[in-house]
Amino acid sequence: MMKKANYLRRSAAALTAAVLAVASLPVLAASSAEYNTWTGYVLRDAAGRYLSVSGGTEGEGVQVGFYEADGVAPYNTWYFTETNLGVTIKSALSQGEYYLTENFRENRLELSTSAGTFELGEDGYLRGFRSGVESPIYAQVTPQPVTNLHMGDWNSDGVVDGLDLSQLRKAVQESGADVDFAQQAVGDTNGDGVLDGADVQRLQQYLLGENVAMAEVHMPECSMVPAPADPPVTTTTTQETTPTTEITTTTTTTTTMPAITDAPRQDLTMADFPSDYTDAADWIWNNRIVAEKSTERRNTIFDQIDAGNGTINYVVRWQSYRTLTLEQRQQFEKLVSDCINGWNDWLKGWDGWKYDHIDVKIVGWAVLDKSVLQDLQPDEVVYDNLISDYDSTYDTSNGVDTIPDKLPSAPSEISRFDHFSDSSYNYPGGLDKRFDMYLWGTQGFPNIGGCGGDWGQRLSDTAYLNMLDGSGIHVLEHEIGHGFGMTDFYGGEGESNGFPPGGFPGGENSLMMAGSAMKITDFDGWMLRYMWSKIKDEDGRFS
């Protein structure tokens, strides 16, 4: 039985639909719903967050990103119209005055009174257009209607039928099924606030033509206002002069966003660890991780994130003479952010882990030749003067390209890897100026496979370029797994370099057993949690 959350009500304007030109859109994502200008949608990403306006307030240039939500509000509701280039997306704020658009220079989403154009394809990926050229992918989203709803329409296709009945029944029967607030609202057919068998029975009676009434759909109002990207603190100074007394009075007014009180956070702990995963996790911990001391050095990605207060900074070490366009360089940051946060999504809400999202940045480019960076921008940091000789004798080659005999680097004084053991070390320019790891691309390196650790991840230059469209990222995720201290499984069952007796529970194998999985599996996620719980209380290790 899944109980409806007690939503905190916030004093916000009622959701108002933008009055837009009547036009229908084709299917845009993994849903049979027809998108049109009269229906409002929330756009949910793979992590369960919703496209929302930062700070919850409109304005030209206000940033837009993905945030948690427990209901709908004008700041996370969007309307679609079709153009000859793509789809324009309007915010419900100010009755549709603002569009979703792209800030090309910052490679981010913003509000604007000028319409931006996007593509939301059947694969669910939200892409933008720049003069007709496809921009970097922003996210894979699932649009869900939150206006013009029909009670019982579980799959949001506009029709209440037997398919909705079967899907609702499955959700009720599956203990712990992931039911979001929109599904809760259209699935509570009897309106008692609980999603259970009584709702299934009511929908079945309705479809059989029996004389039963279904409750009205009441979508909860979101109580989770997205934090502003930049705190909206405004100071205004005015001068008032009274001629008869010649006294000048200065008044300063400061306006701030009201404080937001969240419900106390309830973390999962090892008491929630799946019992059928325990034996395999224990075996891996004792026979592989402890034996190989893979979490002993206090520079794992766990350590890096905590030391950086929820941030990871990368320098791209481009040991290659292949050129990189500005657009490609911008995509690198999203690539590594998606991979780091693919792991971090498992840590969110787990046993004292403090970071719901990791801010991942590319803070510099170490190159053999500066000319490979096309359309170089004034704010891009480039290191092309720290080049050493490189011996590739023990590297594996792809047999086509020659691995360069030179290696570019960033300054040692800003490298966490070089200074993590010195707790008193101060980075020149402050913590923000350090880099934690290299994203190392090597020309001539094999295009399949790579290596990784707390120093970074090394793949071929071609492999990185091929991942920029979001495909094949499991290879990089695997190497990032090593940065957390996870091990490879090259040996046989129960062997010293092998996998746990009985294999990996969960039926998906493990991303860390090369070739056996193409994603972070359920067991991988729980194993990462297990590792954090094992090391989190080490004396003096974490803040």
Side-chain angles (χ1 to χ4, degrees), residues 68-82:
E68 299 290 335
D70 58 6
V72 300
Y75 52 76
N76 66 13
T77 302
W78 307 90
Y79 294 80
F80 298 87
T81 51
E82 191 174 21

Side-chain angles (χ1 to χ4, degrees), residues 204-258:
Q204 180 173 304
Q205 291 172 323
Y206 174 83
L207 292 173
L208 290 174
E210 297 182 20
N211 186 23
V212 296
M214 292 205 292
E216 294 182 2
V217 178
H218 293 289
M219 192 66 64
E221 190 173 20
C222 189
S223 68
M224 303 170 71
V225 180
D230 296 302
V233 178
T234 303
T235 301
T236 304
T237 301
T238 58
Q239 290 188 331
E240 300 174 0
T241 304
T242 305
T244 57
T245 60
E246 297 184 354
I247 297 175
T248 300
T249 302
T250 300
T251 304
T252 301
T253 304
T254 301
T255 303
T256 61
M257 288 290 290

